[in-house]
Every structure is written in C-alpha cells, then in structure tokens.
Amino acid sequence: MIELKGLVTSAIPQALDLCLKLDPVTVLRSANPELASGVLNAIVGLDRVYSGRIELDGQPLSDVLTREALPKTLGYVFAGGIMLSNLNLRENLLLPYTLVAEEEGFEQFDREAAKWMDAFQLKVDLSLRPAFVRVSDLKLLSLVRALIFNPRILLLDDPYYLLNQDQRQLCYRVLQSIKNEHSMLISSRDDDFCCHFDAELVDLSEDSSAIS
Amino acid sequence: MRNPTEKKSLRDFFSFTANTIYEALHLRGNKHISSMVILRQILFTGYEALPLIGFIALAIGALVILQGYSLLSTFGQGNLVQMILVTVVINELSAVITALVVIARSGTAISTELGNMVVNGEIDLLKSFGLSPISYLVVSRLYGVMIAMVILTLYFNVIAVLGGWLFAQIFSSIGFSYFMGEFFLQLKGPNLLMIILKPLVFGLIIAFVSSYQGMSVQRATTEVPQRTIKAVMQSISLVMISDIILTWIFWMLTV
C-alpha cells in the first residue's frame, strides 16, 4: 500500500492525499494525464517534492529505499520507453543491475532477460543502440528492464503509449498474467485498464481530491 | 514531468556544485561512478584528440624555435633557445592550447550530450533506477577529462620539444642528446609541478562547467546549443583566469 499525505510537487500543484491499496492493481486516471504521471514520478522521486510525504506499507518510502535497491522495490516504466542513447540495448538493460549485482549475480540477468523478451515476443539485436530500434520495441524492452528485477511494485505510465494494436493486446495479456505476482500502479486512460483489468480505479479530479 | 516554468537559480548551482564535490570525494564503494564512462571519456577526450594535439604541438614547437632562434641569434644567444621552449611551451602554451582543443571537442560534446539526455528524459531514467546522475554522468566525466588532460598535455610537451629539436636542425646541427640535455637543465621542479597541476585544474573546469550547462537544460532542444555556447565561453574564461592565478603562484614559487 502506498500512501500520499499532503503531497505537493511541481506536477501536483494542490496538496494530494491518496491511499493506493495496490491489491494487486490500482489504476490512476485523470483528465490531465500529467497529474496521474506526476503521482508516479513523485513516488519514484523524479519530481521535487515541495511538501508532504510518501509512505510504503506504513513506512516512509525514503527509509525503505535506504534498505532496498530501488529497482527491486519500484519498477518504473516510462510512457516513452526511454533508453540511454549512448549505450546499446544490452548495456541499457544491464545498467540498473550494477546496483544489485552483488546480491543477484550477473548470470541471472541473461536468464531473466530471455524469459521476459520471449513473453513480449521481442526479437531485437541487443547490441544495437536505441536509435536503430523501433520505439514500440523500446517501450516493450523498458517493460522487460523493469521486470528483470522482479520489483515489489510495478509502476506503469500509460502502458499503451507507442504500441500498435497487436503489441497492446500482447502487453495486456502479459500484464494480466503477472498481476497476481506483482503489485501494479498504472497511470492510464485506456478502457482496457480502467474498466476491464479488474483493478481499483482512482480518478484524480480537477481539485486533486481522489474519488474512487 | 518537470515544470517548464521552473528556472535554474543560484541555489541550483550551489546544490550541483556541492553534490559534485561530495560525490567526487566519495569514490570508495560508490557504485554510481562508472569506470566504463570514465574510460570512454578518456578515449574520446584523450586518445581521439592525439592526432590534432600532435599536429598543433609540432607546429608550436617548430614556430617557437624558428622565432626564438632568429630573435636570440641576433644577440648571439642562439643557444638559449631551449629556455624559450621551456618558458613558452612547457609553462604556458601546452596546457592552454590543450585546454582550448579539449573545450572545442569534449566540452561541447559533454554539454550537448547531457543537454539532450535531459530533454529525452534520460536523466529521469537514471533517477528511476536509483542511480545518481551526478555520480554516473558528471563525476565520471570529471575524472575522465582530468586524466585525459594530463595525458594530452604531457603528449603535447613531448611532441613540441621533439618538433623544436627537428626544426632547430635548420639553423644548426644540434645533437639530440645535447638539445635534450640543455632542455632538461632549464626544467625545474616548479615546471614539473605546473605540467601536472595546470591540466588537472583546466580539466576540472572544463568538465564541471560543460556538465553544469548541459544539466541546466530544461525541456527544449533549442536550449542545448545555447547552453553549449555558454559552456564554451565560461570554460575559456575560467581556464584563462585560473591560468593567470596558477602562473602567479608559479612565479611566487620560483622567485
């Protein structure tokens, strides 16, 4: 469970109080998509927090993250499927691994990467730089990158963005299949997630007060 | 998403500086500093600049000898040309010219690369992994550029001295061992100190200023060239100011 208490960030101008149960999936929807994305960004620590705090299972999130590596706690997938342009795809997938390698060992990386690439039917040469790969494949690879760590909570910002119809169906199926293993917080306005995903829906209204 | 109306303030500059210093001094156990980024920076800033630096050094060494010899020989002091080489090239020109080349190649590249990374959200990506962008991108580049600057300056000096000896043959047949012997006689402790100190300081300035300007880009790609221009202007100014200060310290040490 993630609780936001009086949270104000650069993307959330008015104090926001939210209790996100993540049992196992919560979907955030807002008329202004930046607001729902802003909640995810605030949780991962991307936006400057002006006031308020974030708690994970009753403990300040910052305290939890001093004990656990961030990629193993929160697996964040950006809407744009961002990759570092100066690294090849394999280096991109490996990069967060440098933080947890001592615990896990690098040999597990190839196994996990292959497993999730199969799940998303990705056939991409990992030695390529991101500029040479389709953005929809990069988006799916960014999902793979997050899932490799088996994170406690998967944060998905607009999962369908950049994907074609087939990839959307595939993405939906994979997320459906893993939703009992991973808590998920999804920012989306797609009906697939808001209506058919069997998830708690939190609608962030204009005045930033949450209505479930 | 970052608020586009948020401006970079003096507080951001001091925060960036303090974070960079803190993380640069905590190398041990810092998994965020990437040896791969350091090596790539040395490769790009140092190794790939060797031909250009070599050409400039050869030309400078030759020109200093040509000008120095023609000037000194009118007073019958042509044998003091090595002193000119040490004073002009080793003490001053090598580090400054190398710094200018590094600003033109690597300073602009660092500023542009980091600026584009900000625009593309790659800095946020690093943060989402729990990786410190300051350690991973800035501190790693700081060390890379400083090491490359020292290597390039030493290389510049070697080529300039060899070039000087080669061109000195035009005026008189000076033996290599005699030329180098006279050259090393002119080279004192403080000279050697400056050969190392100046490139380290210049490298620090170039990498820090370029990184700061690159990381100061907010949202628009049009900001990237603007920040790169600022990085170049500020790097050149600060390199020249620090050169004056270091030369003054050098002068105090030798007087």
Side-chain angles (χ1 to χ4, degrees):
Chain A
M1 183 173 70
I2 294 178
E3 278 186 277
L4 313 179
K5 295 181 176 174
L7 191 72
V8 179
T9 69
S10 50
I12 306 168
Q14 289 172 292
L16 182 67
D17 291 294
L18 267 184
C19 180
L20 306 165
K21 289 178 189 159
L22 309 179
D23 188 25
V25 182
T26 299
V27 176
L28 292 175
R29 182 174 66 183
S30 61
N32 172 10
E34 298 236 327
L35 188 59
S37 299
V39 170
L40 300 189
N41 286 343
I43 291 169
V44 185
L46 302 185
D47 279 347
R48 186 178 285 177
V49 174
Y50 296 126
S51 67
R53 62 199 179 120
I54 303 167
E55 291 182 358
L56 177 62
D57 297 332
Q59 291 181 302
L61 183 60
S62 52
D63 290 355
V64 175
L65 294 179
T66 56
R67 294 192 299 271
E68 297 174 26
L70 198 147
K72 290 184 76 68
T73 311
L74 304 169
Y76 190 31
V77 182
F78 288 85
I82 304 166
M83 294 275 162
L84 291 183
S85 48
N86 58 357
L87 301 181
N88 67 31
L89 295 176
R90 185 180 161 77
E91 288 167 336
N92 262 288
L93 297 182
L94 262 172
L95 182 62
Y97 232 72
T98 55
L99 293 174
V100 294
E102 277 178 21
E103 299 161 31
E104 302 274 319
F106 282 92
E107 65 275 5
Q108 198 185 337
F109 168 81
D110 287 320
R111 203 168 50 243
E112 286 291 312
K115 176 183 133 188
W116 290 111
M117 283 180 72
D118 276 351
F120 286 101
Q121 297 175 10
L122 271 170
K123 289 183 177 65
V124 190
D125 180 0
L126 292 182
S127 65
L128 293 174
R129 293 269 176 110
F132 301 98
V133 179
R134 288 190 311 175
V135 285
S136 56
D137 286 346
L138 293 181
K139 175 69 182 270
L140 293 176
L141 267 173
S142 66
L143 271 159
V144 169
R145 180 175 54 198
L147 286 164
I148 283 174
F149 294 98
N150 193 22
R152 274 169 69 182
I153 302 168
L154 202 54
L155 304 171
L156 304 173
D157 190 6
D158 201 350
Y160 278 176
Y161 184 66
L162 298 176
L163 300 182
N164 63 32
Q165 195 59 38
D166 292 342
Q167 289 170 320
R168 285 179 179 200
Q169 286 172 5
L170 179 66
C171 177
Y172 184 81
R173 277 202 307 275
V174 173
L175 292 177
Q176 272 283 9
S177 69
I178 62 168
K179 75 176 184 184
N180 291 322
E181 301 155 28
H182 295 271
S183 295
M184 289 186 216
L185 180 59
I186 302 172
S187 158
S188 176
R189 296 177 69 191
D190 290 295
D191 282 348
D192 278 353
F193 293 105
C194 293
C195 306
H196 310 305
F197 204 66
D198 193 19
E200 177 197 28
L201 177 66
V202 176
D203 200 343
L204 302 171
S205 60
E206 283 297 303
D207 63 357
S208 297
S209 60
I211 303 165
S212 292
Chain B
M1 194 65 73
R2 195 174 286 105
N3 184 349
T5 58
E6 263 185 75
K7 296 285 179 199
K8 286 281 168 186
S9 63
L10 208 58
R11 187 183 143 194
D12 288 308
F13 173 76
F14 285 119
S15 164
F16 181 86
T17 308
N19 280 335
T20 306
I21 292 169
Y22 177 82
E23 298 199 26
L25 295 177
H26 288 78
L27 280 176
R28 285 191 67 167
N30 191 343
K31 287 182 184 176
H32 304 240
I33 293 174
S34 166
S35 54
M36 188 184 67
V37 177
I38 295 176
L39 285 173
R40 281 184 178 173
Q41 194 62 55
I42 293 171
L43 185 75
F44 173 72
T45 304
Y47 179 73
E48 290 182 9
L50 286 177
L52 180 61
I53 289 288
F55 173 70
I56 295 172
L58 197 66
I60 293 287
L63 289 170
V64 166
I65 289 291
L66 285 173
Q67 295 284 356
Y69 201 87
S70 61
L71 181 71
L72 290 170
S73 58
T74 55
F75 306 109
Q77 299 292 326
N79 56 335
L80 291 178
V81 77
Q82 288 87 353
M83 195 172 81
I84 298 270
L85 202 60
V86 169
T87 311
V88 178
V89 177
I90 307 293
N91 285 353
E92 276 306 320
L93 290 182
S94 64
V96 171
I97 290 176
T98 305
L100 292 176
V101 170
V102 170
I103 289 169
R105 290 185 77 255
S106 306
T108 51
I110 290 171
S111 178
T112 308
E113 186 183 14
L114 295 188
N116 283 325
M117 287 180 83
V118 174
V119 173
N120 295 334
E122 293 174 34
I123 306 295
D124 285 344
L125 178 70
L126 290 174
K127 287 183 192 170
S128 78
F129 298 151
L131 267 172
S132 159
I134 298 281
S135 281
Y136 181 74
L137 297 173
V138 179
V139 175
S140 303
R141 278 170 174 75
L142 219 65
Y143 283 114
V145 173
M146 286 167 75
I147 293 166
M149 268 295 296
V150 173
I151 294 166
L152 285 177
T153 307
L154 289 172
Y155 178 74
F156 188 108
N157 286 325
V158 170
I159 298 291
V161 172
L162 289 177
W165 173 73
L166 274 174
F167 277 81
Q169 304 304 306
I170 295 169
F171 303 103
S172 58
S173 177
I174 305 172
F176 181 73
S177 56
Y178 172 77
F179 183 88
M180 293 309 289
E182 289 294 310
F183 169 76
F184 282 117
L185 271 179
Q186 302 294 333
L187 208 59
K188 303 285 187 312
N191 298 113
L192 296 172
L193 179 69
M194 285 298 139
I195 287 173
I196 303 296
L197 190 61
K198 277 189 178 179
L200 281 177
V201 173
F202 295 169
L204 179 74
I205 289 169
I206 295 164
F208 180 81
V209 170
S210 306
S211 300
Y212 175 71
Q213 290 299 342
M215 298 283 267
S216 297
V217 170
Q218 307 264 321
R219 294 281 299 270
T221 48
T222 49
E223 287 177 69
V224 177
Q226 292 168 354
R227 288 286 175 183
T228 303
I229 290 167
K230 277 188 182 177
V232 170
M233 302 295 279
Q234 290 175 358
S235 296
I236 292 174
S237 306
L238 288 171
V239 161
M240 296 318 292
I241 291 167
S242 62
D243 187 37
I244 292 167
I245 294 168
L246 288 171
T247 304
W248 183 73
I249 293 169
F250 170 77
W251 181 75
M252 295 290 282
L253 285 173
T254 50
V255 168

